[in-house]
Amino acid sequence: MNTLLKDVRFGLRMLAKNPGFTTVAVLTLALGIGTTVAIFSVVYGVLLHPLPYFQPDRLLALSEVNSHGGHMNFADPNFADVRASSQSLDGVAEYGAWLESVAEASEPTRTMTATVSRDFFPLLHVQPAIGRGFAPEDQRFGAAPVALVSYGYWKQYLGGTSDLTRVKLNIENHDVAVIGVLPAGFRFPKESDIWVPRELLETLPSRTAHNWHVLARMREGVLLAQARSELTGIARRLKQQFGKDTMMEDISAVTLQDFLTKDVRKPLFILLGAVGFLLLVACANAANLLLARVAAREREFAIRVALGAGRVRLISQFLTEALMLALAGGALGVVLAQWGVAALLAIAPANLAPSEHVSVNLPVLLFALTMAVGVALSLGFFAAWRAASGNTEQALTERGQGYLGTVQGHRLGRTVAAAQLAITLVLLVGAGLLGRSLLRVLSVDPGFRTDHILTMDLALPPAEKDTEKVQRLSLLNNLLAQLRALPGIKEVGCINDLPLGSDMSDGIFVVMNPGEPAPRMDQLEKLFQDSTRSGIADFGVASEGYFRALGIPLIRGRMFNASDTMDSPHVALISQALARERWPNQDPLGQTVEFGNMDGDLRLLTVVGIVGDVRVASLESKPPGIIYVDSQQRPADLYDFTVVMHTSLPPATLIPAARRIVAQLAPDVPPDLSTFTKVFSDSLKARYFNLLLVGVFAACALLLAMAGIYGVMAYSVEQRTREFGVRMALGAEVADVLRLVLRQGLIIVAVGAALGIVGSFALTRIMSTMLFGITATDPITFAAVTILMVLVALAASYVPARRATKVDPMVALRYE
């Protein structure tokens, strides 16, 4: 311990004696460690932090798998068969969640409401903190509606009352009694605030109505492979038994945590790898700084060795100094990580992380400490090895130029600088590929206008009876008429699912033969099995004004008009994609289709027009085939829908007026207003997020690499002062010395660029799923990034090169 304390005191004196070196080294390591800790905080909170449930590793998410390997939600009969047949599962539960209008709390809200079957809460081992849970009499069709609420909703909207007997909510025009409050922090699924029993809803007999997510728990002692094997056997038996009546060929079973993070897992690991490269660049920069310090202290080390210090003693001293540098950099890095995590959560996509799990907590701090110690050991052994490899006798008898003044020293410094440039090139290529992909995405025509569009999301109760449909139409027409009368409004329309805002519902439609009557619901299943007559399309319920408001063109035929009423023959518009796919060599106009399985209305639809394609799920996905039905004829599916308003004024200025109109017509329905430009930008938020982070990492790495090559070149010039003086005394021109130094820098850059290009070809392939419109080996990106890095690195070499040309031969020789 006495030796250690001496090393610490001596190390502190040496670091304080060289404040410039100490400051730069600590800041460099703080940048590398801080950014790595910030990204690891997100990775740990999202991917590694256990779910807050009992034995979360035994919770599974199940989904049906079709013949093409696609994953689907469960149909009710398939779910019932799995629940009855499985021996490896403790239980299975259906669940789903939707935004619904909720009234009679302190204020109307659009609240995420989950519908869960009887085993849902027992599988999670979650019990209400206040009140009671669902009882068997609550979980049957026709029972009086009851609900559980989240702790946050109870506090904010129900006033935290302990007497729940008087608390009722109006959810979609249904009075629902609140019977319990769930524990603080529980909001699964989808950040839900209200839970109602699944059994209140009718069970659908169709095995192709894929409506429900399924949660399961493995029995004690059962392995995941065993559960998967059993579920595959059940799926095959059901397929053999029901044939074309079911689309299920297999059952997928993954852990619940993997299911919840499937969309962000790969991007987050790619970001962690990118920030790891930045840490390597920072460590390389610190290594070059230490290399310079070793050269400056070479005579000191020689004297200590001559006085009896062994190599172990020198190594101990170097490790102590490196550890102090790394711990100081790590401590500052943790502070930077705190700010970085807050910034990440502010700009991150909504599906990235539950913010309560993302923080610089104890596991993250242990990771930071481990990383700092690892960096210290690497740098300490590296510096000690360099110091111990010098010639003690030569250092004592000559006033040498330091180890870096030798050929080996120069070669080592150049090697470290070249490695920095290679790693930096990989990051720059990654950022370039993401940037080029974003430009390609932004150049995609979405098929509709996004500027000067105000959107308004509304959630109304379902309209199932004819009288309810008439009332819905009356409310809808009044709403559109009053909005259309606002100053600056050019056109108003509505649709059940807004493009880029959410996925549209899709289903199977059937092409009917001329004169063929509308089928009954029980006949649809057999018609679906005829692939020559059936197809899959998205289902849109839209008003005539929707197409004009968004500028979606009519290609052929006609639009919806006033003659299309609820009692007239029902009509449909189809997208160009569906026309090309389903009727490639025929005229789609006049064709009759059955799509009543989507909204329960089995009246046939006659195609009267073809409209332009639109991008629905994202700008990257191809335009789907869509069948649009008239909202005036089929308003049943207009319960959670969006109104779009095309205006000549700034859209945000119309928000107060639009909100007042909704409050007058439907006071219990809270509107959610936004601009379409925000909807558009939100759809690209994940891409912006990835580009921003990788771009920042690449920029930091480039700055560090510039500093590294500048340091190597500057030190090399300083060590070669006498050489340059002799050369110029013997007649060398300024241009000769400039070329000599720049050639040395160019060799470093060339080696670094070559290694970086090879590494980029190997590593950027894992980014292929994050790219759009380009390949992971895009030659334009590689060429542009390489040219940029070469120019920047040569610029960093130019300053020391110019300094070499200013050497006065007489001064240089007299100094020596």
Side-chain angles (χ1 to χ4, degrees), residues 570-572 591-593 595 603-607 627 629 634:
H570 285 207
V571 297
Q591 296 283 349
T592 303
V593 298
F595 212 10
R603 281 173 285 189
L604 300 180
L605 298 165
T606 301
V607 178
I627 295 178
V629 299
R634 300 199 176 195

Side-chain angles (χ1 to χ4, degrees), residues 455-631:
T455 68
M456 181 168 61
D457 294 337
L458 297 170
L460 302 175
E464 300 172 352
K465 301 177 182 178
D466 289 343
T467 55
E468 293 173 341
K469 294 178 183 178
V470 172
Q471 292 172 354
R472 173 64 45 79
L473 275 182
S474 175
L475 171 63
L476 182 63
N477 291 335
N478 285 336
L479 175 63
L480 297 182
Q482 292 191 37
L483 291 173
R484 193 176 289 112
L486 290 175
I489 293 292
K490 293 183 176 181
E491 187 56 77
V492 177
C494 64
I495 190 166
N496 59 332
D497 292 302
L498 187 68
L500 302 184
S502 62
D503 289 342
M504 298 183 74
S505 301
D506 64 348
I508 303 175
F509 68 92
V510 177
V511 179
M512 306 301 291
N513 297 321
E516 190 176 6
R520 299 189 310 271
M521 189 65 75
D522 60 344
Q523 296 174 322
L524 282 179
E525 293 287 342
K526 291 185 178 180
L527 292 175
F528 289 161
Q529 298 171 14
D530 186 352
S531 59
T532 63
R533 299 179 59 183
S534 62
I536 296 178
D538 285 0
F539 180 72
V541 184
S543 69
E544 178 188 5
Y546 164 76
F547 300 96
R548 289 198 296 267
L550 293 190
I552 300 173
L554 176 67
I555 308 301
R556 288 184 56 204
R558 70 170 178 88
M559 286 284 192
F560 300 139
N561 58 40
S563 65
D564 301 320
T565 65
M566 196 179 298
D567 297 325
S568 65
H570 285 207
V571 297
L573 303 175
I574 64 172
S575 64
Q576 282 180 288
L578 184 60
R580 288 191 299 267
E581 177 187 343
R582 190 62 189 80
W583 294 281
N585 301 312
Q586 302 177 55
D587 185 2
L589 299 183
Q591 296 283 349
T592 303
V593 298
E594 173 58 70
F595 212 10
N597 53 304
M598 297 302 296
D599 61 355
D601 192 332
L602 293 177
R603 281 173 285 189
L604 300 180
L605 298 165
T606 301
V607 178
V608 297
I610 304 173
V611 295
D613 287 332
V614 297
R615 308 269 175 163
V616 174
S618 66
L619 292 176
E620 295 97 324
S621 59
K622 293 181 179 180
I626 305 175
I627 295 178
Y628 298 97
V629 299
D630 193 343
S631 61

Side-chain angles (χ1 to χ4, degrees), residues 28-326:
T28 298
L29 292 176
L31 177 63
I33 293 174
T35 51
T36 306
V37 170
I39 295 297
F40 180 78
S41 299
V42 178
V43 171
Y44 179 80
V46 178
L47 304 181
L48 305 178
H49 189 280
L51 294 176
Y53 312 126
F54 176 73
Q55 295 182 341
D57 56 316
R58 308 198 69 78
L59 290 173
L60 303 180
L62 308 185
S63 56
E64 296 187 22
V65 181
N66 61 25
S67 58
H68 302 293
H71 289 215
M72 307 170 292
N73 290 343
F74 259 81
D76 284 329
N78 290 337
F79 166 78
D81 286 334
V82 169
R83 181 170 59 184
S85 303
S86 175
Q87 300 299 313
S88 62
L89 302 178
D90 252 344
V92 290
E94 291 179 317
Y95 69 92
W98 305 270
L99 279 172
E100 295 184 338
S101 293
V102 181
E104 296 189 16
S106 60
E107 60 183 271
T109 60
R110 282 171 55 85
T111 304
M112 188 64 72
T113 302
T115 302
V116 299
S117 67
R118 66 173 183 260
D119 289 328
F120 181 82
F121 291 112
L123 288 178
L124 296 172
H125 287 239
V126 172
Q127 294 290 333
I130 299 172
R132 66 175 180 87
F134 296 139
E137 58 269 21
D138 301 321
Q139 297 168 313
R140 57 181 179 80
F141 187 68
V146 294
L148 301 174
V149 298
S150 70
Y151 190 87
Y153 188 89
W154 171 70
K155 293 286 286 186
Q156 182 174 358
Y157 296 106
L158 303 183
T161 178
S162 57
D163 184 9
L164 299 177
T165 58
R166 304 180 187 178
V167 180
K168 287 187 178 295
L169 301 176
N170 187 277
I171 304 176
E172 305 291 5
N173 273 0
H174 292 92
D175 289 330
V176 180
V178 176
I179 60 172
V181 179
L182 293 174
F186 182 83
R187 298 188 66 193
F188 178 72
K190 287 187 177 181
E191 298 295 294
S192 297
D193 279 312
I194 299 175
W195 291 260
V196 297
R198 157 72 182 93
E199 290 76 14
L200 295 177
L201 302 178
E202 188 176 4
T203 300
L204 299 180
S206 172
R207 292 183 181 271
T208 59
H210 305 104
N211 295 318
W212 299 100
H213 295 293
V214 169
L215 174 73
R217 178 179 286 277
M218 290 187 294
R219 292 187 187 277
E220 291 289 343
V222 175
L223 301 177
L224 180 57
Q226 294 173 306
R228 284 173 172 168
S229 177
E230 183 198 51
L231 291 170
T232 296
I234 292 174
R236 289 175 178 172
R237 178 177 59 78
L238 293 177
K239 184 63 179 178
Q240 185 176 11
Q241 180 178 353
F242 296 102
K244 293 183 178 180
D245 287 344
T246 179
M247 300 169 66
M248 183 172 68
E249 301 276 348
D250 199 355
I251 296 175
S252 167
V254 298
T255 64
L256 181 61
Q257 184 154 23
D258 286 348
F259 173 76
L260 296 177
T261 60
K262 63 181 185 300
D263 294 332
V264 297
R265 178 173 293 272
K266 188 170 183 179
L268 279 181
F269 277 126
I270 289 176
L271 289 177
L272 186 61
V275 78
F277 281 137
L278 176 58
L279 178 63
L280 287 177
V281 173
C283 289
N285 215 42
N288 254 334
L289 291 172
L290 284 175
L291 207 58
R293 291 292 303 140
V294 168
R297 297 170 63 184
E298 185 178 25
R299 186 174 178 81
E300 171 205 331
F301 301 143
I303 293 174
R304 295 179 68 182
V305 170
L307 293 176
R311 292 197 173 190
V312 174
R313 189 74 187 81
L314 289 180
I315 291 174
S316 171
Q317 179 63 56
F318 271 108
L319 285 176
T320 302
E321 292 183 23
L323 185 59
M324 287 189 289
L325 280 177

Side-chain angles (χ1 to χ4, degrees), residues 3-22 293 297 300 304 313 317 320-321 324:
T3 302
L4 176 62
L5 290 176
K6 288 179 181 179
D7 285 344
V8 169
R9 285 195 296 268
F10 183 76
L12 288 174
R13 287 201 304 271
M14 295 304 298
L15 295 178
K17 187 178 178 180
N18 298 274
F21 159 77
T22 303
R293 291 292 303 140
R297 297 170 63 184
E300 171 205 331
R304 295 179 68 182
R313 189 74 187 81
Q317 179 63 56
T320 302
E321 292 183 23
M324 287 189 289

Side-chain angles (χ1 to χ4, degrees), residues 436 440 777-786:
R436 291 253 297 154
R440 289 291 183 91
T777 57
D778 178 54
I780 296 178
T781 302
F782 273 78
V785 166
T786 303

